[in-house]
């Protein structure tokens, strides 16, 4: 089929950035305002309070004009010193990247190895912590939702492993593709540093990220010696906004005010339930496409850890997931996520997080099924009907 000139709206099924609701687009487009203006400061404080409600924390929050990588860097640079050992729980591309950043900052990164399709075995994490009787490990890093694989990590189990071994390490969690999509409770789950970003569950443009920080982490920060300035929490603490060494991205705060309003209007429980409903429909379609095991399959092989934010779909050996993506994009104006790292060309990803509803998901699934057919990728036809069944069960 020839590429068509796109008509109608692009169906954006990437796992981030995600669809930006019209009301957020309009809010972001408001004219500039002085970030020290009292009118802006009121919005700013309202947004900080709203983000803390979303993180479920009464502790500290620092924000950055940076994508998620900035908050990742802030989390490590503020808490540790060169030579400190961190334990990264392997999930996939993003745990690997966070660890790589730690090495670049002079940290000694150790990994609890895990099968990307199933997620970590918590016995292995407990064993690693129990073996560290001298408390060499200063922090444990966990990516709550591995965006590259569609496998999520149950964070309370990480806390339980730290508690069971009486290990004092700081608990760092990446919620970049899970905040506002999967349940999350910073204080109740004893998380010391939470990394989040604007362009996924918050439905905002890319460009702002943040860290929720516990009192224990703020104390540890005082003795950290990794060089930093823009990301330095002490530097920020002396500023009026208690964040942002430099200009505050006011437009993103106009957007964030609207994003938080939308989430609270739907209720967080409602938002999470919608993510679960849509994710189940996507998985029902893929299970149907799998047929007797000769079609495309769910990359995640651990049903209990299947992500409600994103589904990675594995194409059978000898087929190219990128060709499916190209057909979906060029012929049907549907944008899908690519396979990352060692999954390049082997999986494509459907993001089902943020501002999405049933017809958007069904339209995406129908386009994927057509793209599978056009590329001769094995699948049992009828996945969309299976998704409809799931949505009306
Ligand atoms: N962590 C996770 C789980 C992600 O999905 C991403 C990006 O997709 C990042 C970290 C990096 O964030 P950013 O691309 O905003 O720098």
């Amino acid at each position: 089929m020839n590429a068509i000139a796109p008509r109608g709206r692009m169906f954006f099924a990437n796992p981030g950035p995600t669809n930006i609701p019209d009301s957020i687009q309009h809010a972001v487009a408001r004219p500039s305002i002085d970030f020290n203006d009292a009118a802006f400061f009121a919005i700013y404080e309202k947004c900080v309070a709203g983000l803390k409600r979303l993180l479920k924390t009464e502790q500290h929050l620092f924000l950055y004009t940076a994508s998620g990588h900035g908050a990742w860097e802030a989390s490590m640079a503020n808490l540790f010193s060169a030579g400190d050992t961190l334990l990264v729980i392997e999930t996939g591309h993003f745990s690997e990247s966070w660890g790589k950043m730690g090495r670049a900052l002079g940290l000694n990164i150790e990994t609890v190895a895990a099968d990307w399709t199933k997620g970590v075995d918590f016995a292995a994490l407990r064993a690693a912590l129990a073996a560290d009787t001298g408390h060499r490990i200063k922090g444990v890093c966990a990516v709550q939702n591995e965006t590259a694989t569609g496998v999520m990590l149950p964070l309370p189990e990480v806390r339980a492993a730290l508690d069971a071994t009486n290990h004092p390490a700081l608990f760092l969690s990446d919620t970049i593709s899970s905040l506002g999509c999967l349940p999350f409770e910073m204080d109740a789950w004893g998380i010391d540093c939470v990394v989040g970003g604007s362009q996924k569950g918050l439905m905002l443009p890319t460009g702002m990220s943040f860290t929720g920080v516990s009192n224990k982490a703020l104390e540890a920060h005082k003795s950290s010696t990794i060089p930093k300035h823009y990301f330095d929490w002490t530097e920020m603490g002396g500023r009026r906004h208690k964040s942002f060494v430099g200009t505050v991205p006011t437009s993103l705060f106009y957007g964030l005010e609207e994003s938080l309003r939308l989430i609270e209007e739907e209720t967080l429980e409602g938002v999470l339930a919608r993510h679960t409903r849509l994710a189940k429909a996507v998985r029902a379609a893929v299970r149907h496409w799998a047929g007797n095991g000769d079609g495309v399959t769910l990359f995640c092989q651990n049903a209990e850890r299947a992500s409600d934010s994103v589904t990675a779909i594995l194409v059978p050996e000898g087929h190219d997931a990128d060709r499916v993506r190209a057909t979906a994009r060029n012929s049907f104006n549907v944008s899908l996520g690519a396979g990352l790292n060692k999954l390049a060309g082997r999986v494509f990803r459907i993001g089902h997080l943020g501002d999405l509803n049933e017809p958007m998901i069904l339209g995406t699934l129908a386009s994927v099924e057509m793209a599978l057919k056009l590329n001769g990728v094995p699948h049992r036809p009828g996945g969309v009907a299976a998704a409809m069944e799931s949505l009306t069960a």
Side-chain angles (χ1 to χ4, degrees), residues 67-69 72 94 143 145 147 174 176-177 199-200:
S67 76
H69 274 75
W72 260 357
F94 288 102
V143 177
N145 186 71
T147 323
D174 169 320
I176 295 207
S177 59
Q199 78 275 21
K200 303 206 191 239

Side-chain angles (χ1 to χ4, degrees), residues 89-91 114-123 144-146 149-155 157-158 182 283 300-310:
I89 301 173
E90 182 176 7
T91 54
D115 178 335
W116 287 16
T117 66
K118 297 189 179 74
V120 73
D121 175 356
F122 285 103
Q144 186 184 21
N145 186 71
E146 175 52 73
T149 63
V151 180
M152 65 98 181
L153 179 64
L155 297 176
E157 301 275 350
V158 178
L182 312 183
R283 293 196 287 270
C300 174
Q301 289 175 20
N302 182 346
E304 283 178 9
R305 297 201 195 163
S307 162
D308 284 351
S309 294
V310 54

Side-chain angles (χ1 to χ4, degrees), residues 161-300:
L162 285 160
D163 290 349
T165 51
N166 276 323
H167 203 293
L170 294 168
F171 179 7
L172 285 73
S173 164
D174 169 320
T175 64
I176 295 207
S177 59
S178 50
L179 190 67
C181 313
L182 312 183
F184 179 78
E185 301 191 32
M186 174 173 160
D187 291 355
W189 295 351
I191 298 175
D192 295 300
C193 188
V194 183
V195 172
S198 57
Q199 78 275 21
K200 303 206 191 239
L202 288 174
M203 308 167 286
L204 293 166
T206 310
M208 189 158 71
S209 54
F210 47 88
T211 44
V213 175
S214 73
N215 296 323
K216 176 179 166 185
L218 206 54
E219 199 49 42
H221 161 67
K222 292 180 187 157
S223 52
S224 145
T225 59
I226 292 181
K228 54 203 162 273
H229 181 73
Y230 179 72
F231 291 119
D232 189 344
W233 297 339
T234 301
E235 184 68 33
M236 290 181 183
R239 304 202 170 219
R240 182 170 183 219
H241 296 78
K242 306 280 179 224
S243 276
F244 297 110
V245 176
T247 303
V248 179
T250 50
S251 301
L252 285 168
F253 278 90
Y254 284 145
L256 180 57
E257 182 186 28
E258 176 59 10
S259 156
L260 293 166
R261 192 194 68 75
L262 288 172
I263 291 170
E264 293 188 356
E265 179 184 69
E266 187 179 355
T267 75
L268 182 56
E269 295 67 35
V271 171
L272 301 184
R274 176 169 52 80
H275 279 76
T276 300
R277 196 165 66 245
L278 298 179
K280 279 186 175 162
V282 171
R283 293 196 287 270
V286 183
R287 276 197 211 95
H288 184 92
W289 288 332
N292 296 323
D294 47 357
V296 296
T297 50
L298 290 169
F299 181 77
C300 174

Side-chain angles (χ1 to χ4, degrees), residues 355-374:
D355 189 44
L356 281 171
N357 62 18
E358 285 78 357
M360 291 158 91
I361 282 295
L362 291 172
T364 297
L365 292 172
S367 305
V368 167
E369 189 163 325
M370 290 191 285
L372 292 172
K373 179 177 172 188
L374 289 169

Side-chain angles (χ1 to χ4, degrees), residues 31-97:
S32 299
I33 187 170
D34 182 338
F35 60 89
N36 282 312
D37 190 292
F40 176 72
F41 202 71
I43 292 170
Y44 179 83
E45 290 202 306
K46 189 174 153 194
C47 287
V48 168
L51 257 189
K52 284 189 177 182
R53 277 197 299 281
L54 197 60
L55 288 165
K56 300 213 159 106
T57 184
E58 293 184 352
Q59 302 182 77
H60 314 275
L61 183 70
F62 296 99
L63 299 116
Y64 323 94
T65 309
S67 76
H69 274 75
W72 260 357
E73 185 152 340
S75 70
M76 289 176 160
N78 276 288
L79 292 174
F80 307 109
S81 303
D84 279 355
T85 296
L86 301 195
L87 191 60
V88 173
I89 301 173
E90 182 176 7
T91 54
H93 173 71
F94 288 102
S95 67
E96 217 174 89
S97 304

